Amino acid sequence: MDSSSVHEVVHEVVHFDSSALPAKHHDPDTTEPISCGLQTLEELLSWKRSDANLFNVAAVPLAPRDPPLAASARRTLVSHDMMGGYLDDRFTQGTHSDAPYAFYHWQYIDIFNYFTHNMVTIPPVVWTNAAHKHGVVVLGTFITEWTDGAVVCEAFLKDEESYRAVADRLVQISHCYGFDGWLINIENSLSEGAVKNTPLFLQYLTEQMHERVPGSLVLWYDSVLEKGELKWQNELNESNRVFFGACDGFFTNYNWTEQSLEWMTGYSGLDGRQADVYVGVDVFARGKVVGGMWETNKALEIIRKHNFSVALFAPGWVYETLSDKTQFRKNQDKFWALLSDFLSIHRPASPLPFVSSFCQGFGKAIYRRGQLEASRSWFNLSAQEVQPLYNNTQLEGGGWLSSRSCPDDAWNGGCSLLLEGVIPATHTSPVTAKIFSLDVILAPKTLVTLIYKSSPGIRISLELKTTDPSQCTHMNVHDVKVPPVSAAGLGDGLESVSQFFQLCGNLSAGGWTIGCSQLELRGCALREVSVSIQRDREAQETPISCRVGEILLMDGASLQTPPQLVKGLCIYDVVWLRGAGTSTSPCLHLNATMHWDYPTEFVRHFRVYWRRLRGPDPRIPPGQLALMGRAYSNFYRVTELEIPEAPGLLELVVEPVIRKGFPLPESHWGRRSLSYTEAKTK
């Protein structure tokens, strides 16, 4: 049904046949795409790329970071084991959820493992997209357990051909879906022959992963001993070091003591790889463990004292056990604030343009350019943008400043960043809130946009810290006060240039201040972005309230680059259903997959619309474009779209929302028409 001509019409005959779509990749009632794992060895060994769920393929590559993971001496892994997995997050296009679980403290962690008790856990794409934006490695899980697991292991570890076949499939799955490796968790005893082949399996899997997926990792969980006995050691020792030596790291069980950590620091089997030992911490505090729950920081303090990496297991505890889900953000922020002294912040790298509206991938409404677009709860971690640092700072004289996410108003997405506090009367210098730690190479002329709302009596400005070892005007780290913008030299004859400057002004319709500036420095890298707040009145105690909606940095020269066109929009996998609608009689519902070509690195998302062009009643004029949803890849599944009865003609439309911040003209959007007729009766 594809065609290079945007004017060509796709024709469909309305049949109410059973859906031929793979049931494991689509909700049976709505055909909504979902992610899932693999249950059996047979399912794994028969997997081929043509079986892949294209909606679960990550659209975001792993961002570089500073420092690189390999150079980080004390890493932090989060193993997300929550309520069996594949919950709201299984819906690859997002879902309506009043109280979802989300993670957004990515700067603190290095590795994210999605854990379930499926034999092969493939991370839902929403997690991979969000983690990759922050430079965080994502691991799936390969697990065998108890009696059934022992049978699986005896089958695939019986010889080289068998274990290589399993490893090859795991590599292919990781490469296809765009995540970064595996946690191998064998929780059953092994025969002498099987355990002998286990290190060879690990070594082969690790080598193949490194070759196919740069930056990938294979980790081993502390369970089986080198003689095949299932016996958790809670440490790395002579009984399990053979597995550690065959892969990238070792995840210990949770019942360790400080004495065992002390012993490990002097253990010769570490081979200088102390950072590759991830000491497990069960946040639920099950068993005889150090810390856990609101005292998880006690475990981290001891682990860091002995210079090991840490593996936090099930930090979703804050969501699962605390009943008031409306306080989730508050509880999540409290939990990670308690750990922050023992966590290192890494800087994700980003090419220009860099933009973030602080969206966490969920909310109780959706905003677009400061206006309410939809008043409904929603959840889609693919929508999460690079997250700020959430801080609480005490000032001399009794003042304070804090930052938190707030869903009550936003510029784009589901929330904004709210800065609150008090400037004491004795405090005369500006109060600074650090927003981002980044690694962004600045252009010779970098345009900067700050969008905010603030309370009376204060002035808001952006403060940037840059560093560059060779060519930056000032050596080391220094503050850069951003000067007022000038259109000179930017090529004001182009439409995109004028569009950008039309955004810059005092106030938007929603009360947002939109400030634009220009930064001129050569050879510099941006390291920190802060908001500076200062009184504009006489010295007196001043309450602070500032809502930051968006920060954008862009290469001024890029405004002279013509935007791309959406190409090759096609429609397929059409499923017709009868369902409830706005009228009393059942309505015709369209379900279909849309695919198009457009460089995803240039966009924040795509807006997908439809409109009626013609229906059975010629007296009804064509309809207006109606928004169906947002896509975060070049695929979108239309589900349960109520359309006029056949015969009819409708149009499906894709609008790229580009990272530069201004709307593209409709001539650059993708369009395809779909005509449909009733099936002929015999």
Side-chain angles (χ1 to χ4, degrees):
M1 295 181 186
D2 195 6
S3 169
S4 59
S5 170
V6 296
H7 303 294
E8 197 162 314
V9 178
V10 174
H11 299 277
E12 283 285 339
V13 176
V14 177
H15 288 284
F16 298 103
D17 299 330
S18 302
S19 170
L21 297 170
K24 62 183 178 181
H25 293 159
H26 297 269
D27 183 275
D29 297 323
T30 66
T31 76
E32 183 80 14
I34 56 176
S35 53
C36 65
L38 306 179
Q39 308 298 326
T40 66
L41 184 60
E42 292 71 27
E43 194 177 358
L44 172 61
L45 290 173
S46 64
W47 187 92
K48 51 188 181 299
R49 200 174 186 92
S50 59
D51 295 332
N53 178 3
L54 296 178
F55 286 95
N56 202 48
V57 175
V60 181
L62 177 62
R65 45 164 284 179
D66 179 41
L69 181 62
S72 300
R74 303 192 305 177
R75 304 169 197 149
T76 303
L77 178 151
V78 160
S79 188
H80 178 65
D81 171 40
M82 199 179 81
M83 302 168 69
Y86 297 118
L87 304 171
D88 288 333
D89 54 9
R90 75 184 185 277
F91 294 100
T92 64
Q93 296 187 160
T95 189
H96 304 302
S97 179
D98 291 329
Y101 174 83
F103 181 79
Y104 47 86
H105 291 87
W106 294 105
Q107 290 93 337
Y108 287 139
I109 78 167
D110 305 289
I111 304 164
F112 178 84
N113 163 236
Y114 195 83
F115 184 94
T116 76
H117 291 275
N118 293 278
M119 193 185 80
V120 178
T121 298
I122 299 169
V125 66
V126 296
W127 284 102
T128 307
N129 284 339
H132 278 184
K133 290 173 189 175
H134 297 85
V136 172
V137 167
V138 177
L139 306 182
T141 305
F142 177 75
I143 186 171
T144 63
E145 299 177 280
W146 315 121
T147 304
D148 290 343
V151 173
V152 169
C153 288
E154 294 307 313
F156 90 87
L157 291 170
K158 63 184 179 183
D159 55 36
E160 181 178 2
E161 181 182 0
S162 300
Y163 71 68
R164 285 195 172 208
V166 165
D168 288 341
R169 292 298 184 277
L170 294 177
V171 172
Q172 290 162 13
I173 288 170
S174 177
H175 183 265
C176 172
Y177 285 112
F179 62 95
D180 312 296
W182 297 95
L183 171 67
I184 306 300
N185 186 2
I186 305 297
E187 296 208 59
N188 48 259
S189 57
L190 298 174
S191 68
E192 182 180 350
V195 77
K196 175 182 157 188
N197 283 327
T198 301
L200 300 176
F201 161 68
L202 283 175
Q203 185 174 2
Y204 178 74
L205 172 62
T206 304
E207 290 171 351
Q208 295 301 305
M209 282 299 308
H210 290 178
E211 184 176 323
R212 292 291 300 279
V213 182
S216 60
L217 294 175
V218 175
L219 304 184
W220 172 261
Y221 178 66
D222 165 23
S223 49
V224 175
L225 307 185
E226 68 173 338
K227 293 186 177 179
E229 182 183 1
L230 177 62
K231 189 174 183 181
W232 299 269
Q233 298 295 285
N234 306 296
E235 66 182 20
L236 177 70
N237 57 34
E238 283 299 303
S239 298
N240 53 33
R241 65 172 290 195
V242 64
F243 309 111
F244 175 59
C247 65
D248 294 308
F250 185 88
F251 181 152
T252 79
N253 193 44
Y254 313 104
N255 302 110
W256 48 267
T257 64
E258 184 167 8
Q259 289 72 28
S260 62
L261 300 190
E262 289 174 353
W263 178 85
M264 274 200 297
T265 58
Y267 175 47
S268 61
L270 278 174
D271 292 329
R273 296 175 58 198
Q274 196 156 350
D276 295 336
V277 175
Y278 299 83
V279 178
V281 177
D282 181 7
V283 178
F284 277 80
R286 291 163 285 207
K288 189 176 180 181
V289 299
V290 175
M293 297 185 280
W294 290 122
E295 295 185 338
T296 300
N297 56 312
K298 293 183 177 179
L300 265 67
E301 182 177 12
I302 294 172
I303 294 168
R304 296 310 198 201
K305 184 170 79 172
H306 297 286
N307 290 313
F308 287 106
S309 293
V310 65
L312 282 171
F313 188 73
W317 170 83
V318 298
Y319 179 88
E320 286 192 59
T321 62
L322 304 177
S323 58
D324 188 356
K325 300 297 187 276
T326 64
Q327 297 298 306
F328 166 65
R329 279 187 173 97
K330 182 178 179 180
N331 291 328
Q332 178 92 319
D333 292 345
K334 174 184 174 182
F335 178 80
W336 287 94
L338 289 169
L339 306 186
S340 61
D341 287 345
F342 311 105
L343 302 172
S344 300
I345 294 174
H346 69 265
R347 294 179 167 87
S350 171
L352 292 176
F354 168 81
V355 60
S356 178
S357 61
F358 315 104
C359 182
Q360 293 179 331
F362 68 108
K364 54 189 182 183
I366 299 176
Y367 294 84
R368 185 191 186 208
R369 305 184 65 75
Q371 301 295 309
L372 182 66
E373 182 175 87
S375 183
R376 57 174 173 79
S377 297
W378 64 280
F379 170 75
N380 187 347
L381 284 177
S382 289
Q384 189 179 98
E385 299 196 328
V386 174
Q387 289 297 291
L389 302 169
Y390 299 97
N391 296 306
N392 289 284
T393 305
Q394 298 300 313
L395 306 174
E396 292 181 5
W400 57 278
L401 179 64
S402 71
S403 60
R404 63 180 174 90
S405 167
C406 182
D408 296 334
D409 194 5
W411 176 255
N412 276 319
C415 63
S416 52
L417 182 68
L418 189 61
L419 306 178
E420 298 174 304
V422 172
I423 304 177
T426 56
H427 198 95
T428 56
S429 58
V431 175
T432 301
K434 187 192 296 185
I435 306 299
F436 292 115
S437 285
L438 299 167
D439 184 19
V440 177
I441 304 300
L442 296 175
K445 290 185 179 180
T446 299
L447 301 178
V448 183
T449 302
L450 171 65
I451 301 175
Y452 66 94
K453 293 181 180 181
S454 66
S455 54
I458 57 175
R459 295 196 307 272
I460 309 298
S461 61
L462 210 56
E463 192 173 284
L464 309 179
K465 287 189 176 181
T466 67
T467 183
D468 178 63
S470 56
Q471 302 176 18
C472 207
T473 307
H474 302 273
M475 297 301 291
N476 301 318
V477 177
H478 64 284
D479 293 351
V480 179
K481 294 296 184 182
V482 186
V485 72
S486 167
L490 288 176
D492 54 8
L494 287 172
E495 182 182 2
S496 57
V497 177
S498 62
Q499 281 185 315
F500 176 81
F501 287 107
Q502 285 172 11
L503 300 176
C504 305
N506 291 327
L507 286 173
S508 75
W512 294 90
T513 298
I514 305 174
C516 300
S517 306
Q518 181 174 295
L519 178 66
E520 296 192 31
L521 281 176
R522 292 188 177 272
C524 293
L526 178 64
R527 304 291 280 177
E528 291 180 5
V529 178
S530 300
V531 170
S532 179
I533 304 171
Q534 191 165 18
R535 263 190 296 259
D536 62 3
R537 304 172 180 172
E538 67 275 5
Q540 61 182 20
E541 185 173 281
T542 307
I544 299 170
S545 179
C546 175
R547 186 181 298 277
V548 186
E550 188 165 285
I551 293 174
L552 166 68
L553 296 99
M554 172 172 48
D555 183 354
S558 71
L559 290 177
Q560 302 181 37
T561 304
Q564 302 263 353
L565 302 171
V566 175
K567 298 179 181 179
L569 176 58
C570 56
I571 304 165
Y572 57 96
D573 284 345
V574 174
V575 176
W576 301 97
L577 297 172
R578 284 280 180 200
T582 54
S583 62
T584 55
S585 59
C587 294
L588 182 62
H589 285 179
L590 170 68
N591 304 269
T593 293
M594 300 170 61
H595 175 60
W596 57 90
D597 294 323
Y598 197 90
T600 53
E601 65 269 22
F602 295 156
V603 300
R604 301 171 79 169
H605 56 266
F606 300 92
R607 293 166 62 81
V608 186
Y609 307 87
W610 83 283
R611 68 170 175 154
R612 173 190 172 280
L613 295 178
R614 187 173 66 246
D617 186 345
R619 295 170 296 177
I620 300 177
Q624 298 295 313
L625 284 179
L627 180 68
M628 291 188 289
R630 298 181 177 188
Y632 294 87
S633 71
N634 288 335
F635 287 90
Y636 184 78
R637 181 72 185 169
V638 180
T639 57
E640 299 186 295
L641 177 64
E642 183 181 334
I643 62 173
E645 292 296 324
L649 178 69
L650 56 85
E651 185 178 46
L652 301 177
V653 180
V654 175
E655 175 195 5
V657 178
I658 61 172
R659 301 178 65 81
K660 294 178 186 178
F662 53 83
L664 286 185
E666 290 195 28
S667 58
H668 289 67
W669 300 7
R671 297 175 182 272
R672 180 54 58 94
S673 297
L674 171 71
S675 71
Y676 52 100
T677 55
E678 291 279 7
K680 294 181 180 179
T681 57
K682 295 181 180 179

